[in-house]
């Protein structure tokens, strides 16, 4: 159950895949949502079901105003992957956004901060020779191994979140999101099966956008303390081949920490289940005819 005083949630990056899913999830469960983004339609022209504010979170004053009136924040705004901007710009902008939101949450005394970390903090992308991949299933202890300034921005965000949580007493939850798919994008999944190594960079992981929204709500409603950082993935892989066969063929020397069965995910979600009650309920298998 959630703290009684969390009724209004600010969602940053509201027009992105994760942000859009979070807004829909909170509205569907009776929360008031303060949405903001640097892109997309704003004001009452927003298509999110709630008015949306244009906010540049690299400016602390704007971040403070965007969170004013909220009880908690779900911070999804960031440059979402490496290669979109020069490396320094990605590091600087993501770090500034994260720090400004954390500072604003502390200044306003919010009840909880949920934010988008990344699976890339764990060593992704994994190379054909394994690279930084040490064992499977990959869990929260497979950290930190950033291989880009994007991943480094998330590692720095996790370090900052731990300090802000200790200073303020505000619980922080970082969601180490894997590759997000909308239901419409599942049509292309069979294209991956002929070349399994094309998806081995994250051990064939993915997550449904609707489950990302649910994870955001789970994290807001959880009774966790301090700063937690949790892998958020689907319960299965994106491949039609069973997980034990994928590992035996493509990573034969890899240490297996526990028995893997069927098509289960190789990005462990055990901690997310335990800490915030996350339970993915969507799969590409529900949408793609074999």
């Amino acid at each position: 159950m959630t703290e009684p005083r969390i009724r209004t949630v600010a969602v940053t990056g509201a027009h992105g895949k994760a942000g859009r899913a979070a807004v829909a999830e909170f509205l569907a469960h009776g929360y008031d949502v303060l949405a903001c983004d640097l892109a997309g339609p704003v004001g009452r022209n927003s298509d999110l079901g709630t008015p949306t504010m244009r906010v540049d979170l690299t400016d602390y004053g704007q971040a403070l105003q965007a969170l004013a009136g909220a009880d908690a924040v779900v911070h999804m705004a960031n440059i979402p992957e490496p290669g979109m901007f020069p490396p320094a710009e990605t590091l600087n902008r993501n770090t500034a956004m994260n720090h400004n939101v954390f500072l604003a949450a502390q200044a306003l005394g919010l009840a909880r901060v949920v934010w988008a970390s990344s699976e890339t903090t764990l060593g992704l992308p994994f190379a054909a020779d394994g690279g930084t991949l040490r064992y499977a299933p990959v869990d929260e202890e497979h950290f930190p191994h950033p291989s880009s300034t994007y991943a480094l921005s998330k590692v720095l965000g996790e370090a900052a979140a731990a300090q802000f949580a200790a200073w303020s007493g505000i619980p922080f939850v970082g969601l180490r999101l894997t590759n997000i798919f909308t239901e419409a994008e599942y049509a292309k999944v069979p294209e991956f099966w002929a070349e399994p190594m094309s998806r081995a960079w994250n051990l064939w992981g993915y997550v449904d956008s609707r489950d990302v929204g649910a994870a955001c709500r789970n994290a807001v409603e959880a009774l966790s303390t301090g700063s937690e950082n949790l892998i958020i993935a689907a319960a299965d892989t994106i491949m039609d081949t069973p997980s034990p066969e994928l590992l035996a063929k493509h990573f034969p020397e890899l240490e297996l920490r526990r028995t893997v069965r069927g098509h289960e995910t190789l990005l462990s979600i055990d901690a997310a289940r335990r800490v915030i009650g996350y339970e993915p309920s969507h799969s590409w298998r529900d949408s793609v005819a074999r």
Side-chain angles (χ1 to χ4, degrees):
M1 59 183 296
T2 186
E3 295 184 54
R5 67 189 181 108
I6 299 181
R7 289 291 178 266
T8 301
V9 179
V11 178
T12 74
H15 284 294
K17 278 187 186 179
R20 185 175 289 272
V23 169
E25 178 76 11
F26 283 108
L27 289 176
H29 286 81
Y31 288 85
D32 294 324
V33 176
L34 304 177
C36 72
D37 206 321
L38 194 57
V42 293
R44 299 194 178 277
N45 293 321
S46 173
D47 61 351
L48 297 174
T50 188
T52 306
M53 184 183 297
R54 178 91 67 220
V55 175
D56 181 355
L57 296 172
T58 63
D59 181 302
Y60 173 68
Q62 292 188 46
L64 189 67
Q65 290 185 318
L67 272 56
D71 303 314
V73 60
V74 173
H75 171 44
M76 299 287 109
N78 258 191
I79 294 172
E81 61 183 74
M84 295 180 67
F85 290 85
E89 185 74 359
T90 299
L91 180 63
N92 293 337
R93 287 180 60 180
N94 281 0
T95 301
M97 282 187 267
N98 293 342
H99 290 180
N100 285 342
V101 168
F102 297 171
L103 282 162
Q106 177 181 249
L108 294 167
L110 300 195
R112 184 165 289 264
V113 175
V114 177
W115 68 286
S117 185
S118 169
E119 64 181 355
T120 60
T121 62
L122 306 171
L124 285 69
F126 299 128
D129 62 358
T132 57
L133 182 58
R134 307 195 311 276
Y135 60 84
V138 169
D139 57 20
E140 280 68 18
E141 299 305 313
H142 205 285
F143 172 89
H145 293 284
S147 59
S148 66
T149 59
Y150 168 77
L152 181 58
S153 75
K154 300 298 187 177
V155 170
L156 295 175
E158 292 191 12
Q163 299 306 315
F164 278 104
W167 294 344
S168 65
I170 299 172
F172 279 65
V173 181
L175 303 179
R176 290 172 176 166
L177 300 171
T178 188
N179 191 197
I180 302 173
F181 277 70
T182 63
E183 187 175 15
E185 291 173 324
Y186 288 142
K188 64 184 178 184
V189 166
E191 300 173 10
F192 305 142
W193 300 341
E195 296 291 340
M197 285 307 294
S198 70
R199 295 289 308 186
W201 57 272
N202 73 343
L203 286 185
W204 306 282
Y206 79 104
V207 65
D208 189 284
S209 61
R210 293 163 291 184
D211 286 327
V212 171
C216 291
R217 182 173 60 83
N218 291 156
V220 164
E221 295 179 350
L223 296 180
S224 61
T225 59
S227 180
E228 298 277 1
N229 299 294
L230 308 168
I231 297 170
I232 302 296
D236 58 350
T237 72
I238 207 160
M239 302 302 290
D240 203 32
T241 303
S243 299
E245 293 182 30
L246 289 170
L247 288 175
K249 181 175 181 179
H250 300 288
F251 297 104
E253 306 301 322
L254 187 64
E255 176 189 353
L256 196 59
R257 288 282 176 95
R258 62 171 173 79
T259 301
V260 175
R261 296 182 174 85
H263 296 91
E264 75 169 285
T265 179
L266 297 170
L267 299 173
S268 175
I269 54 176
D270 293 343
R273 284 173 163 143
R274 183 179 68 255
V275 175
I276 63 172
Y278 169 68
E279 192 58 58
S281 58
H282 299 281
S283 169
W284 65 265
R285 298 170 206 277
D286 302 326
S287 303
V288 177
R290 297 209 178 89

